[in-house]
Amino acid sequence: MMQNFLSSSPAGDGVTWYTLRNAADMRVVISDRGATLISWWAADRYGRSADMLLGYADDAGYADNQAYFGGLIGRWGNRIADGRFTLDGVAYQVDCNEGRNHLHGGSGGFHLKPWQVQPDPAGLRMTLVSAAGDAGFPGTVMVSVLYRLDDEGCLTIEYSATADAPTPINLTSHGYFNLNGGGSDIRDHILSIEADQYLQVDQRLIPERAADVAGSAFDFRQPAPIGARLAWPDEQLKVAGGFDHCYCLRRPAHHPQALREVATVYDPGSGRQLTMATSEPGLQFYSGNFLAGVRGRGSRPYAIHDGFCLEAQAFPNQVNSADSEAVILRPGRPYQQTTSYRLSVRG
């Protein structure tokens, strides 16, 4: 049963925070700055409610949001090597905001822009128009995202986009989760991912090749604690400072864009479990490697591995791969993605 009890409150600087609430009093707070996930309040096995998302103390932190807390990422989630690609014979240079890489839409990505709220009985719908030339990308893109929260604790994000000229697109949500509510880091969380391969990266975290997960720290086909895997002597973990890699998700041959469950994370202490489903081919697992010293909403700064991200997306730098056409948004061929995160409690 779908219940989207929607309320709103001003957050300062003309920004509004919207709250979706279900019948179990689970609450998801979303900002119209960056269509950003601010908080997700949910109970543990003892009925104690806590916030599952990392974030800033108030809206001021989201004005530049260097950690990308909860942001709706676009036009391009993840990295483009050297910020360069060629489309229909034309070479493009986009904003490079991570050394020589383009990362998460550039210095003025979707996660920083004001989104418009549109009436929708299904939930909270936000829209954005990204003009041609935004961060160096061609074509004007019209983006819509719908957030829905049901009574079973499932937050569904439905993305759609159209363009008036060909342009790369790769949208994702960059929420940082901690299922114990921030009482400790995420090393005790037990993770599983439905993937037989992942993308190995170079020193700039640009994919170099697909590799089998079997026999490596990256094998989460059976549930395993994140902390134990972080301790493995794996060269790829050294390169990234932890996990910051894209998994090549299993996809049904008859319907490769079907929505299917791809990952679960369980916190033994609280009993909370996060189950993720997506229609996307890739899943970036990020273990919060660069959180140290980031000032959040707690009394102390965040530390390394205080949160994790599960980002549904196309593959990093795919616009420069042999399969680049799959990430090109062309007029008359809309972009669509559905990703959901379901919070439940195990005894």
Side-chain angles (χ1 to χ4, degrees):
M1 181 179 178
M2 184 66 61
Q3 297 285 344
N4 277 297
F5 302 108
L6 181 64
S7 61
S8 64
S9 60
D13 197 24
V15 173
T16 301
W17 287 5
Y18 296 83
T19 301
L20 291 171
R21 186 189 307 261
N22 70 7
D25 202 34
M26 180 180 284
R27 291 169 288 142
V28 176
V29 181
I30 303 162
S31 175
D32 60 8
R33 186 199 297 276
T36 298
L37 291 171
I38 302 294
S39 292
W40 188 346
W41 290 86
D44 65 6
R45 62 162 61 97
Y46 307 106
R48 300 173 300 193
S49 187
D51 194 352
M52 299 301 99
L53 292 173
L54 275 59
Y56 299 104
D58 52 36
D59 178 68
Y62 294 95
D64 60 1
N65 197 358
Q66 294 184 19
Y68 303 97
F69 285 140
L72 197 292
I73 304 298
R75 291 185 193 189
W76 187 269
N78 219 303
R79 295 169 174 88
I80 298 176
D82 299 313
R84 297 174 184 169
F85 60 89
T86 299
L87 175 56
D88 295 340
V90 179
Y92 292 92
Q93 175 69 63
V94 296
D95 184 22
C96 291
N97 58 319
E98 186 198 49
R100 291 158 48 201
N101 294 335
H102 173 88
L103 176 66
H104 293 336
S107 55
F110 288 4
H111 66 292
L112 300 176
K113 295 185 181 296
W115 289 63
Q116 301 300 311
V117 173
Q118 306 291 339
D120 196 309
L124 177 63
R125 183 175 297 278
M126 295 180 169
T127 61
L128 175 70
V129 177
S130 174
D134 192 4
F137 288 96
T140 295
V141 174
M142 290 161 283
V143 184
S144 175
V145 59
L146 175 67
Y147 291 98
R148 297 186 287 115
L149 177 67
D150 69 20
D151 286 346
E152 284 67 53
C154 185
L155 177 67
T156 300
I157 311 173
E158 297 179 358
Y159 308 75
S160 60
T162 59
D164 66 358
T167 189
I169 193 164
N170 183 24
L171 305 181
T172 193
S173 178
H174 207 290
Y176 286 76
F177 293 92
N178 185 319
L179 301 185
N180 63 45
S184 58
D185 62 30
I186 52 102
R187 287 178 172 87
D188 287 344
H189 288 37
I190 298 172
L191 170 67
S192 63
I193 299 176
E194 296 290 324
D196 302 308
Q197 291 190 316
Y198 76 104
L199 300 180
Q200 293 186 337
V201 297
D202 64 16
Q203 294 293 329
R204 292 193 294 149
L205 303 184
I206 298 296
E208 289 188 312
R209 66 185 67 85
D212 292 340
V213 300
S216 78
F218 293 82
D219 190 353
F220 288 99
R221 292 174 296 178
Q222 296 297 320
I226 293 172
R229 291 300 176 82
L230 283 167
W232 277 38
D234 191 298
E235 188 61 33
Q236 281 290 299
L237 293 179
K238 295 178 183 178
V239 168
F243 293 98
D244 193 3
H245 297 74
C246 193
Y247 282 77
C248 307
L249 296 170
R250 297 172 187 158
R251 308 176 75 185
H254 63 284
H255 192 356
Q257 293 183 316
L259 181 68
R260 74 279 186 208
E261 291 187 0
V262 298
T264 61
V265 188
Y266 173 62
D267 172 41
S270 68
R272 296 186 183 95
Q273 178 167 290
L274 183 72
T275 304
M276 181 186 184
T278 189
S279 58
E280 291 296 275
L283 175 61
Q284 187 83 8
F285 169 45
Y286 174 52
S287 56
N289 311 328
F290 302 107
L291 283 172
V294 176
R295 283 282 177 183
R297 57 174 63 108
S299 58
R300 64 168 179 83
Y302 289 124
I304 185 172
H305 310 317
D306 268 356
F308 69 90
C309 300
L310 295 175
E311 307 161 53
Q313 56 185 251
F315 300 121
N317 200 40
Q318 186 172 339
V319 69
N320 287 310
S321 75
D323 194 26
S324 61
E325 184 59 29
V327 293
I328 302 303
L329 177 60
R330 294 186 180 275
R333 194 174 70 192
Y335 170 93
Q336 292 184 323
Q337 179 202 146
T338 301
T339 294
S340 67
Y341 301 90
R342 178 166 55 86
L343 269 174
S344 57
V345 177
R346 289 165 53 179

